[in-house]
């Protein structure tokens, strides 16, 4: 996977439970009301020895973000993105 990061732009990779494959997850700044936000689907990606369910937001400005299931109000996970870095997180079980 190729990510375009640098300066104040980073990326986010979240490991997901395998049963979430196909689900969509939204990302927004904290406190932003539900509406149309950037979202991606959970897909299985190859890793050494098999594959893993994950989601990737490839280009995010540095800052805090809330992730939630698409169409839901409650944030499930908060992450902090650093410019020029790939942030990793695990979706809560």
């Amino acid at each position: 996977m190729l990510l375009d990061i640098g300066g104040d732009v980073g990326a986010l990779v979240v490991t997901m439970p395998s049963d979430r494959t196909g689900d969509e997850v939204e990302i927004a700044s904290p406190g932003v009301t539900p509406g149309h936000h950037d979202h991606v689907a959970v897909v299985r990606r190859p890793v050494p020895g098999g594959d893993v369910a994950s989601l990737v937001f490839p280009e995010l400005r540095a800052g805090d973000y809330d992730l939630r299931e698409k169409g839901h109000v409650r944030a499930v996970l908060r992450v902090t993105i650093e410019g020029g870095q790939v942030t990793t997180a695990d979706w809560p079980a």
Side-chain angles (χ1 to χ4, degrees):
M1 175 180 318
L2 183 63
L3 301 173
D4 188 11
I5 62 174
D8 67 344
V9 176
L12 174 63
V13 176
V14 180
T15 301
M16 301 291 291
S18 61
D19 65 343
R20 301 303 303 262
T21 300
D23 291 354
E24 294 186 16
V25 174
E26 295 179 332
I27 191 166
S29 297
V32 173
T33 58
H36 180 74
H37 301 290
D38 288 340
H39 60 278
V40 297
V42 178
V43 299
R44 298 196 71 77
R45 292 184 169 81
V47 296
D51 58 32
V52 65
S54 64
L55 54 87
V56 176
F57 288 95
E59 295 179 34
L60 297 171
R61 296 265 176 225
D64 294 332
Y65 292 90
D66 285 342
L67 284 86
R68 58 182 163 241
E69 297 175 40
K70 187 173 184 227
H72 290 86
V73 176
R74 185 179 64 84
V76 176
L77 180 65
R78 180 167 287 174
V79 296
T80 300
I81 302 302
E82 301 287 338
Q85 296 181 15
V86 177
T87 300
T88 59
D90 294 319
W91 192 261

